Amino acid sequence: MEAASPALSRIGLAGLAVMGQNLALNIAEKGFPISVYNRTTSKVDDTLDRAHREGLLPLTGHYTPRDFVLSLRRPRSIIILVKAGSPVDQTIAALSAHMDSGDTIIDGGNEWYENTERRLLQVADKGILYLGMGVSGGEEGARHGPSLMPGGSYQAYLNIEDIVKKVAAQVEDGPCVTYIGEGGSGNFVKMVHNGIEYGDMQLISEAYDVLKNVGGLSNAELGEIFSDWNRGELESFLIEITADIFRVKDEDGDGELVDKILDKTGMKGTVLLECCLHARAVHGGADDCGLFGLQVGAVRSGIDKKRLIDDVRQALYASKICSYAQGMNLLRAKSVEKGWNLNLGELARIWKGGCIIRAVFLDRIKKAYRRNPNLASLVVDPEFAREMVQRQAAWRRVVGLAISAGISTPGMCASLAYFDTYRRARLPANLVQAQRDLFGAHTYERIDRSGSFHTEWTKLAQKGNNPVAALN
């Protein structure tokens, strides 16, 4: 048995692409001695060079899995940041061959949560602990303070708690990290976070589309509008950077750079919400789009730009509430199914800093779930419900205007449909239940008596009689 030594590193990190390298430097900067390893040795050298340039002394590089693992203080904790899928399994196999019972592996990639649950059981045979830890904030967040979502072994979390609490982004009510729950909960929460993130981006792009193509606003005007919005209820990282984007000139031509970018978005396995996935996949800059001879509605003559801007602001905010509500409901449903006991208010809190969706708005979500941990949906929280009711007229005007102009707004439309579903006391699913009972004898329930019922719909319809249900 090796004796613990001050010369040994407190933690290790394997996988030194941009995210891994930046997170390693962040850890070292916070005063934790760290060992780094990468299968491509030049990445190790690059990281050592950066550590030297930035004056971060407690970082050492290693060139074999064995030397890397043996450089760590027991119980060892190793973060791996490699591409999801088989590269993770290969890295685990290479490292675990030299690890001991009680050591910890932390996968910081965007991994499918069921793979994490499989690996947790797999390494447990050797007594190794396992965490799947979502890391949000991109390369800047990794370097200066990300939002961290670790799930899996609670003891594994305790082994690194002092590190992650200093490395994570810091907000007024604490570091942006918490123990998420058991199994693959950390990866699942990160996946939903990413869906919310792309939902936010989709909604912002729809707001831009309406303002530009219906309101005829210039990029300079859009930059000012988004800057103004960032001082109010929509204050967030994404609104802030959107304002900046509109101000960047094209260095290779006239005008602004944003207008020269192909309307195509790459897929990196991080999208969740259906409407933004649809918007990315269906068009994607494809050559066969726009073949119907239809022109997007020209700028409306005599349009009240001031009112349009305010309507779009209100529609964006109301849609955003619904988008987050759907993400939170997905987390709640999976938490019940898996017994994770997710704290939705605490998740909103750790997203307030470091991550891409960081926003003032998240503090209000945290408070909503603290008022009522069993909240069925954010849209029925009294404060959020009141705000959406106040904004629904503007919201409907924007969606109606977009439809009449031939502009697709799938995010805003889906969010409005979600709101209307909650708003109505009765939905038309009664007809669906009748259809299912007719063609599949699936039975139905009634509003005026208890029990399950089945009706011979076709037979009775052919007789011209009123349906009479018989209790099963």
Side-chain angles (χ1 to χ4, degrees):
M1 296 287 289
E2 284 181 29
S5 164
L8 298 176
S9 293
R10 174 71 174 77
I11 192 168
L13 191 146
L16 296 172
V18 175
M19 284 289 289
Q21 187 176 105
N22 280 2
L23 187 59
L25 293 171
N26 183 356
I27 292 169
E29 185 180 51
K30 298 303 187 297
F32 297 101
I34 180 171
S35 297
V36 297
Y37 165 74
N38 198 87
R39 191 172 61 175
T40 304
T41 58
S42 60
K43 296 284 188 182
V44 178
D45 294 333
D46 290 344
T47 306
L48 291 172
D49 287 343
R50 277 192 65 189
H52 179 71
R53 290 196 307 272
E54 298 183 27
L56 306 177
L57 300 179
L59 186 149
T60 57
H62 302 272
Y63 298 91
T64 68
R66 182 180 183 277
D67 289 347
F68 170 62
V69 172
L70 296 182
S71 73
L72 303 174
R73 188 187 314 170
R74 287 195 175 116
R76 304 180 182 98
S77 295
I78 297 175
I79 299 171
I80 57 175
L81 270 165
V82 298
K83 188 177 179 180
S86 59
V88 176
D89 291 305
Q90 293 163 13
T91 303
I92 290 171
L95 298 177
S96 63
H98 310 286
M99 297 174 74
D100 298 314
S101 179
D103 291 349
T104 295
I105 294 174
I106 306 111
D107 178 12
N110 280 324
E111 186 56 88
W112 177 239
Y113 78 101
E114 290 183 342
N115 284 342
T116 293
E117 296 189 334
R118 168 179 61 80
R119 291 169 184 142
L120 195 152
L121 296 174
Q122 177 184 317
V123 299
D125 291 340
K126 286 192 63 175
I128 296 173
L129 310 178
Y130 199 86
L131 286 173
M133 183 173 71
V135 180
S136 179
E139 57 186 87
E140 188 72 13
R143 180 62 186 84
H144 299 291
S147 175
L148 300 172
M149 293 153 260
S153 164
Y154 183 58
Q155 181 58 54
Y157 172 73
L158 292 178
N159 289 347
I160 61 166
E161 184 177 35
D162 60 330
I163 298 175
V164 293
K165 282 189 170 182
K166 285 194 176 182
V167 166
Q170 307 294 313
V171 293
E172 74 282 356
D173 49 3
C176 293
V177 61
T178 191
Y179 174 69
I180 300 298
E182 297 180 350
S185 59
N187 293 118
F188 191 87
V189 166
K190 175 58 164 54
M191 180 180 69
V192 173
H193 160 283
N194 289 351
I196 292 171
E197 173 187 321
Y198 277 88
D200 252 358
M201 293 161 67
Q202 174 67 25
L203 291 170
I204 291 169
S205 73
E206 292 174 15
Y208 152 68
D209 202 7
V210 172
L211 292 173
K212 181 181 178 68
N213 289 301
V214 176
L217 296 166
S218 67
N219 288 331
E221 290 173 310
L222 289 166
E224 290 303 312
I225 289 164
F226 276 83
S227 288
D228 182 60
W229 287 356
N230 198 46
R231 292 187 284 269
E233 62 194 3
L234 289 169
E235 181 184 344
S236 64
F237 172 71
L238 284 171
I239 294 292
E240 176 187 348
I241 66 170
T242 300
D244 290 340
I245 286 168
F246 289 123
R247 298 187 174 106
V248 175
K249 300 293 184 182
D250 180 14
E251 295 181 345
D252 298 316
D254 297 329
E256 288 76 31
L257 179 59
V258 67
D259 294 329
K260 309 294 176 63
I261 298 175
L262 183 68
D263 58 331
K264 179 178 182 179
T265 307
M267 303 292 282
K268 297 179 98 174
T270 59
V271 182
L272 177 66
L273 298 183
E274 190 270 341
C275 67
C276 60
L277 176 60
H278 177 80
R280 296 172 79 187
V282 170
H283 195 284
D287 293 336
D288 58 352
C289 289
L291 296 181
F292 298 103
L294 300 176
Q295 295 293 321
V296 170
V299 176
R300 300 296 179 90
S301 59
I303 195 165
D304 185 339
K305 288 189 179 182
K306 186 175 181 181
R307 180 181 177 182
L308 176 66
I309 293 165
D310 190 61
D311 279 356
V312 172
R313 175 187 60 80
Q314 294 187 64
L316 177 56
Y317 183 71
S319 298
K320 183 183 177 84
I321 293 171
C322 289
S323 179
Y324 278 70
Q326 292 173 73
M328 289 298 192
N329 278 10
L330 183 55
L331 289 173
R332 184 165 59 92
K334 182 60 71 171
S335 178
V336 170
E337 176 192 329
K338 303 288 286 187
W340 287 338
N341 195 30
L342 297 181
N343 184 331
L344 299 183
E346 181 69 353
L347 295 183
R349 185 195 69 78
I350 68 169
W351 292 342
K352 286 168 58 179
C355 65
I356 304 302
I357 64 171
R358 60 186 182 269
V360 171
F361 169 80
L362 283 159
D363 194 56
R364 302 190 55 222
I365 295 179
K366 178 194 76 174
K367 291 175 180 175
Y369 281 109
R370 289 191 175 172
R371 282 192 297 270
N372 181 5
N374 298 314
L375 191 64
S377 173
L378 282 176
V379 300
V380 298
D381 172 75
E383 288 193 15
F384 283 124
R386 182 172 60 253
E387 290 187 326
M388 287 200 298
V389 169
Q390 291 169 348
R391 289 161 175 77
Q392 68 166 323
W395 196 2
R396 294 182 196 283
R397 283 194 296 270
V398 170
V399 168
L401 188 60
I403 290 171
S404 67
I407 293 173
S408 61
T409 53
M412 287 188 181
C413 287
S415 291
L416 183 56
Y418 181 79
F419 169 69
D420 283 338
T421 297
Y422 267 93
R423 188 178 59 85
R424 295 184 62 191
R426 183 171 169 83
L427 296 168
N430 54 317
L431 179 59
V432 174
Q433 293 302 94
Q435 291 169 331
R436 293 178 73 248
D437 188 52
L438 186 153
F439 65 66
H442 292 290
T443 75
Y444 57 89
E445 296 177 63
R446 294 177 58 110
I447 61 174
D448 56 352
R449 66 187 75 168
S450 60
S452 296
F453 299 85
H454 170 60
T455 294
E456 297 291 338
W457 297 89
T458 302
K459 184 185 298 183
L460 291 172
Q462 289 172 348
K463 288 182 179 180
N465 296 334
N466 291 325
V468 178
L471 181 64
N472 279 355

